[in-house]
């Protein structure tokens, strides 16, 4: 997870950079000098460097060589994220960086299991030591690591501050100038874990111990000890805090320097000491020596009468003797006398004041110098890796570059000699690599590969021969008349590959010999200080031969260094300082041109550019430019070489512009590459749009598929839910149905669990159903058939319903209608079930009267005016004797019934005299009103009426007597006159007839109809 995120971030950076690099090309110059069109022009070179420097781009390549310009400010380009960015990335994919060099060497070492070195050179203050520290940090952070090997890593890192404390000093050029050359091996195991290291130091500048130029300081450690050392320690060493009190520290007049924090540095160094395995005893001895050097510096000599040196104040001597574990008197003697060996005996002779001072300084230098060597060895023993598995190494060589000052002494001579050798190695290596590459790639040898004229090997060999014997190449004497003026008597001039340098021979011999009197050496050999004893071996005294000169020693160590280097793969970093004042953003053209010259950069570029400006592995070239050709975009599936060929044919490279090797393409001119880059830039915009579109559609599709799947899932779930619900329902239904059936089977049993619900259901169902089938009117006799168990309830309900209906009906009817109904009830009481035609009559409403008052004769009206007419109806009256039929009106009043013929009242029947009324049971309209015989009445009235039921009912109601109506069957008798009776016979037949039969009876025939 973390890894992939890191990877992402890195990719993004790379992408960003690629684009940035293209658009910024003109502004920030090329990031590889090889791409300079005017590659032979120093001005173009400086211009490019300046452009980049002004943009704070301090690194530029010449092929695989890194040129670094000291920014003199923190640029924020050494963060851990930067380190991660450069890890395992193709060298040319990212902007030039010291990390790229480190990573490249590391990757190659890991993959090819060979050894490497990184040579860092440049003038003092150009940033070499910083670069080497950055590389070390890079490895410390990015290399794999195990718990147990962390200590090795820490020691590698912490060896630095200790070495710097003892080997670095403030100079005019650099506040932290390394005053020794340093080669450091970092050893890696087969997994690429840093497991150990080894340091070799060269040429520690011992003279600094006893003398510093104006504005310079002695080695840091002296000041750090005084500023940071604990009180007790200083007391034990006999030291005061103030550095001004010590001659060796105060000559440069800058013992206190604001830019240097000695107190803090002391803490760092003390802490480092504990990590790199220094015991308290070691430290006691070590600082004893450091302190004794300070005391040495403060010894004052005086001259006695004989011109011999004496030391009147032995205070310092005592301290030195104590600290170094020697006898004070012996020491005193050794500082002021010299042993001369004459044949078999030794003669001791006093020294002059001058020689004594010389001897004292020599002792200080020797003690310090050898202690430094001891320190390096001690550090090495803590860095050593004790397991003997196979290891590969990366060496870091931090060594001063070519130094050319106004006055050049022995040191410059040695340094320049060293640089000459290293340059030679570089040129040889680069040329060889170049040629080997062409050969390997099968490119025919190009003419331009020739070493530059300055690298004159034979000249160097000559010089080497002469160094041992006070050599000089060009002297005032040897020079022609013109050259003579430029060389002083004491000078000689050497023509180095980078230019000529004039050296001053003053002090040459002395520095070369670096003589320490035997007498002092003896004293030191007998020291009780363990470190000194290790530094000054008795064996040295026994060897009577002159010790090798410094020059010889240096030459030897240099040749062993070259041996070390030759077996390794090189990487180069060339450091340049932009100005002499340690100022940021100051680009001093003159100074830089000088350095470019002495670092041999133009030369290097010329060699790199000889032939082809640009080369890349086919894979990488194709990867970068494949979008320019439809055949290779987006993927080329064949061999990369063919893809590249297809690609460059497509974009139209001319044959002279390139060559195809076995694994690489070689492009001759930068402009070809730039044109390709520009095309890529143009193409990129289109590609971006395409990629965006594709990406968007991809996203869209993804989104769509996601939604679709979601929908399907939802659907499935929903269907499932529905199905489950349905199944549930069905189960439920089955249960219900089963219960229903069971209930049905058991419906007639008394209430029990088996039928309970069924019965409830049936009840409910019936009642609910009943709602829709209730009778609408009182006459509606329909009723929903109830199930068996509900018969009782149904009956009750029915009654209730009917009652309700009736009630409603009753409430709804008018008084008139009520009266009529009452009449009908009376009718019913009389006739129901007794007389045919009754049922038909039921729905014929009764009228108030069948005769309008206007139809009654006014005479009649007048006659009965005192009585209210209740009812009138037309009737046919049959004579009692002849049965003649006559039209009459029957009018009923309150008191009596009248039979009226026009204006005559034919018969008046008082209700009091009314005996009864008879009718037949058949469908005739005959009614007979019986009267009392004793009355002076005319006898019974035989009438036929169309509204028989109505008329009888009205009559009965008016009469107010019960049971007066008699419904007869067959025949009836009626009263004609006192003692005389008539008979009416009722019969049925096919048609209605009324006639007088042979017996003098009235026969009434009615049609029998079913009703
Ligand atoms: N890459 C860098 N970034 C920032 N400052 C630097 C860088 N390199 C060098 N310096 C500054 O320059 C000073 C001198 O550098 P140093 O490496 O000691 O020079 P050299 O070893 O070449 O004499 C350093 O103390 C530091 O202040
Ligand atoms: Mg340095």
């Amino acid at each position: 997870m973390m890894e992939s995120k890191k990877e992402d971030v890195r990719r993004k950076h790379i992408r960003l950079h690629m684009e940035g690099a293209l658009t910024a090309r003109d502004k920030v110059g090329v990031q590889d000098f090889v791409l300079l069109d005017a590659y032979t022009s120093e001005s173009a070179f400086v211009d490019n460097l300046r452009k980049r420097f002004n943009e704070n781009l301090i690194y530029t390549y010449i092929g695989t060589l890194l040129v670094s310009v000291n920014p003199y400010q923190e640029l924020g380009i050494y963060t851990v994220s930067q380190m991660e960015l450069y890890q395992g990335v193709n060298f040319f994919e990212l902007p030039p960086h010291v990390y790229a060099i480190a990573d490249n060497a590391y990757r190659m070492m890991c993959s090819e299991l060979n050894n490497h070195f990184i040579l860092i050179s440049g003038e003092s203050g150009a940033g070499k030591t910083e670069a080497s520290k950055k590389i070390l940090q890079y490895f410390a952070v990015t290399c794999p690591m195990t718990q147990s090997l962390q200590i090795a890593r820490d020691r590698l890192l912490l060896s630095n501050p200790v070495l710097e404390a003892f080997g670095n000093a403030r100079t005019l050029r650099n506040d932290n100038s390394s005053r020794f050359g340093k080669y450091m091996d970092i050893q890696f195991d087969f997994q690429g874990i840093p497991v150990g290291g080894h340091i070799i130091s060269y040429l520690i500048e011992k003279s600094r111990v006893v003398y510093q130029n104006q504005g310079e300081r002695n080695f840091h450690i002296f000041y750090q000890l005084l500023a940071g050392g604990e009180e007790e320690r200083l007391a034990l060493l006999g030291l005061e805090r103030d550095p001004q009190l010590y001659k060796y520290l105060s000559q440069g007049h800058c013992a206190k320097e604001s830019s240097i924090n000695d107190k803090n540095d002391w803490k760092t160094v003390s802490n480092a000491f504990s990590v790199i395995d220094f015991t308290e005893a070691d430290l006691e001895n070590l600082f004893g020596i450091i302190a004794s050097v300070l005391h040495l510096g403060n010894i004052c000599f005086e001259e006695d009468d004989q011109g011999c040196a004496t030391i009147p104040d032995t205070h310092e001597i005592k301290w030195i003797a104590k600290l170094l574990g020697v006898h004070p008197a012996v020491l005193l003697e050794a500082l002021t006398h010299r042993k001369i060996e004459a044949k078999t005996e030794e003669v001791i002779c006093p020294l002059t004041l001058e020689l004594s001072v010389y001897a004292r300084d020599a002792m200080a230098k020797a003690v310090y110098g050898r202690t430094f060597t001891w320190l390096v060895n001690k550090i090495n023993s803590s860095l050593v890796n004790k397991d003997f598995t196979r290891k590969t190494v990366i060496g870091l060589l931090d060594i001063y570059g070519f130094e050319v000052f106004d006055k050049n002494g022995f040191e410059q001579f040695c340094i320049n000699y060293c640089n000459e050798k290293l340059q030679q190695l570089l040129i040889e290596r680069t040329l060889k690599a170049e040629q080997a590459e062409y050969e390997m790639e099968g490119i025919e040898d190009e003419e331009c590969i020739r070493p530059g004229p300055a690298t004159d090997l034979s000249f160097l060999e000559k010089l080497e021969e002469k160094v041992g014997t006070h050599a000089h190449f060009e002297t005032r004497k040897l020079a022609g008349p013109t050259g003579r003026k430029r060389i002083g008597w004491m000078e000689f001039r050497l023509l180095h590959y980078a230019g000529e340098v004039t050296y001053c021979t003053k002090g040459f011999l002395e520095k070369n010999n670096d003589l320490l009197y035997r007498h002092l050496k003896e004293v030191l050999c007998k020291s009780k200080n363990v470190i000194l004893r290790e530094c000054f071996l008795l064996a040295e005294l026994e060897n009577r031969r002159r010790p090798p000169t410094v020059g010889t020693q240096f030459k030897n160590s240099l040749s062993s260094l070259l041996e070390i280097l030759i077996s390794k793969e090189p990487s180069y970093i060339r450091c340049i300082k932009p100005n002499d004042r340690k100022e940021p953003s100051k680009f001093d053209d003159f100074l830089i041109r000088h350095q470019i010259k002495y670092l041999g950069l133009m030369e290097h570029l010329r060699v790199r550019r000889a032939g082809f400006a640009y080369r890349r592995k086919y894979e990488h070239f194709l990867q970068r430019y494949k979008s320019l050709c439809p055949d290779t975009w987006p993927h080329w599936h064949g061999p990369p070489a063919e893809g590249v060929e297809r690609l460059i044919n497509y974009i139209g490279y001319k044959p002279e512009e390139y060559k195809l090797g076995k694994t690489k393409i070689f492009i001759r001119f930068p402009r070809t590459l730039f044109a390709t880059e520009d095309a890529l830039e143009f193409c990129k915009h289109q590609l971006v749009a395409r990629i965006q579109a594709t990406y968007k559609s991809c996203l869209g599709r993804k989104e769509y598929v996601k939604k679709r799947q979601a929908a399907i899932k939802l659907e499935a779930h929903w269907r499932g839910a529905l199905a489950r619900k349905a199944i549930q329902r069905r189960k439920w239904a089955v249960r219900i149905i089963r219960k229903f059936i069971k209930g049905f089977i058991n419906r007639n049993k008394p209430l029990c669990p088996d039928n309970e619900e069924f019965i409830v259901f049936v009840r409910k169902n019936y009642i609910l159903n009943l709602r829709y089938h209730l009778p609408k009117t009182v006459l509606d006799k329909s009723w929903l058939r109830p199930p068996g168990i509900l018969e009782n309830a149904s009956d009750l309900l029915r009654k209730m319903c009917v009652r309700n209906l009736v009630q409603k009906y009753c409430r709804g009817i008018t008084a008139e209608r009520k009266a009529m109904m009452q009449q009908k009830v009376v009718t019913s009481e009389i006739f129901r079930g007794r007389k045919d035609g009754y049922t038909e009559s039921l729905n014929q409403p009764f009228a108030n009267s069948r005769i309008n008052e206007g139809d009654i004769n006014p005479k009649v009206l007048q006659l009965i005016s005192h009585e209210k007419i209740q009812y009138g109806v037309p009737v046919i009256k049959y004579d009692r004797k002849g049965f003649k039929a006559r039209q009459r009106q029957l009018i009923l009043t309150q008191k009596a019934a009248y039979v009226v013929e026009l204006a005559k009242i034919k018969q008046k029947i008082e209700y009091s005299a009314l005996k009864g009324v008879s009718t037949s049971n058949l469908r005739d309209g005959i009614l007979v009103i019986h009267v009392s015989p004793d009355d002076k009445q005319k006898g019974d009235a035989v009438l036929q009426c169309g509204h028989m039921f109505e008329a009888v009912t009205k009559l009965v109601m008016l009469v107010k007597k019960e049971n007066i109506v008699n419904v007869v069957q067959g025949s009836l008798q009626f009263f004609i006159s006192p003692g005389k009776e008539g008979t009416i016979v009722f019969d049925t037949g096919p048609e209605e007839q009324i006639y007088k039969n042979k017996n003098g009876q009235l026969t009434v025939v009615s049609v029998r109809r079913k009703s």
Side-chain angles (χ1 to χ4, degrees), residues 58 70-73 78 123-130 174 176 178:
I58 60 165
N70 188 346
Y72 282 123
Q73 58 179 318
Y78 304 107
E123 278 187 18
S124 178
K128 302 179 294 293
T129 306
E130 290 296 320
N174 184 352
N176 182 33
S178 329

Side-chain angles (χ1 to χ4, degrees), residues 923-941:
R923 204 180 285 272
D924 50 51
I926 300 294
L927 84 126
V928 179
I929 303 172
H930 302 284
V931 298
S932 308
D934 52 313
D935 206 358
K936 49 191 186 257
Q937 291 288 345
K938 287 179 170 174
D940 295 348

Side-chain angles (χ1 to χ4, degrees), residues 394-450:
I394 294 179
L396 296 178
L397 184 57
D398 169 5
I399 201 150
Y400 340 95
F402 234 88
E403 280 190 350
V404 189
F405 303 134
D406 294 341
K407 275 228 164 74
N408 302 295
F410 182 68
E411 286 86 358
Q412 280 72 45
F413 177 73
C414 289
I415 280 302
N416 292 350
Y417 171 62
C418 169
N419 272 282
E420 185 83 46
K421 278 280 185 196
L422 290 172
Q423 178 69 7
Q424 196 182 322
L425 181 78
L426 161 69
I427 294 291
E428 270 174 24
R429 279 303 192 82
T430 315
L431 273 180
K432 227 167 75 193
E434 195 82 353
Q435 256 159 346
E437 183 166 28
Y438 289 157
E439 260 162 45
M440 249 163 54
E441 293 291 335
I443 306 273
E444 266 157 45
D445 199 4
E446 297 286 326
E447 266 232 83
C448 352
I449 311 168
R450 259 191 259 114

Side-chain angles (χ1 to χ4, degrees), residues 58-59 68-75 77-78 98 120-134 164 168 173-179 398-400 575 582:
I58 60 165
Y59 294 123
S68 156
V69 186
N70 188 346
Y72 282 123
Q73 58 179 318
E74 292 309 319
L75 293 181
I77 53 173
Y78 304 107
V98 64
I120 310 167
S121 60
E123 278 187 18
S124 178
K128 302 179 294 293
T129 306
E130 290 296 320
S132 75
K133 284 196 262 190
K134 303 289 189 244
E164 288 195 359
N168 288 22
R173 297 173 194 84
N174 184 352
D175 287 347
N176 182 33
S177 179
S178 329
R179 305 317 297 165
D398 169 5
I399 201 150
Y400 340 95
C575 298
K582 308 172 190 172

Side-chain angles (χ1 to χ4, degrees), residues 531-682:
I531 297 177
L532 275 194
R533 277 249 292 288
E534 281 176 32
C535 292
F536 292 89
L537 299 173
L538 279 167
E540 203 182 313
L541 287 177
E542 279 148 23
N543 185 354
R544 293 279 152 172
R545 277 184 26 220
R546 272 180 74 121
T549 63
V550 173
T552 316
Q553 277 176 36
F554 183 58
K555 197 180 137 203
N556 291 342
S557 59
L558 183 58
S559 61
S560 62
L561 172 65
L562 287 176
E563 240 160 67
I564 292 173
L565 299 185
I566 246 157
S567 62
K568 297 183 169 64
E569 295 297 321
S571 308
Y572 300 97
I573 299 174
R574 296 290 197 230
C575 298
I576 293 177
K577 62 173 170 187
N579 60 68
D580 258 337
R581 280 171 293 170
K582 308 172 190 172
E583 273 180 46
S585 326
K586 268 260 155 50
F587 195 85
D588 181 336
D589 275 30
F590 180 78
L591 193 72
I592 285 172
R593 275 174 195 267
H594 179 86
Q595 292 175 77
I596 289 172
K597 186 171 166 204
Y598 284 93
L599 286 171
L601 296 183
M602 295 308 294
E603 161 103 319
H604 186 86
L605 174 57
R606 213 177 59 77
V607 172
R608 278 302 303 221
R609 265 301 298 273
F612 298 93
Y614 176 90
R615 68 209 60 182
R616 278 293 180 280
K617 283 221 177 329
Y618 286 129
E619 295 87 320
H620 299 150
F621 187 85
L622 190 62
Q623 180 60 31
R624 183 158 178 80
Y625 298 114
K626 63 183 181 177
S627 56
L628 292 175
C629 168
D631 288 349
T632 51
W633 178 256
H635 299 294
W636 172 256
H637 294 291
E642 282 172 28
V644 169
E645 204 168 345
R646 186 81 59 95
L647 175 68
I648 58 176
N649 280 339
Y650 183 79
I651 53 179
Y653 277 20
K654 296 199 182 62
E656 69 274 13
E657 285 181 319
Y658 69 93
K659 277 255 161 67
L660 296 176
K662 282 186 185 129
T663 65
K664 289 180 184 170
I665 176 173
F666 292 76
I667 295 176
R668 196 178 300 272
F669 313 113
R671 65 183 129 85
T672 312
L673 185 70
F674 290 150
T676 315
E677 276 290 342
D678 291 340
L680 177 66
E681 178 69 358
F682 177 72

Side-chain angles (χ1 to χ4, degrees), residues 915-916 956 961-966:
K915 230 170 80 185
V956 167
K961 283 188 190 155
E962 279 168 43
N963 300 330
I964 56 167
V965 180
N966 194 18

Side-chain angles (χ1 to χ4, degrees), residues 850-858 860-861 874 889 891 900 902-903:
R850 299 278 170 189
I851 303 169
N852 292 331
E853 256 184 64
D855 290 339
I856 303 173
N857 195 289
V860 176
L861 279 179
Q889 289 175 327
I891 291 170
V900 176
L902 298 174

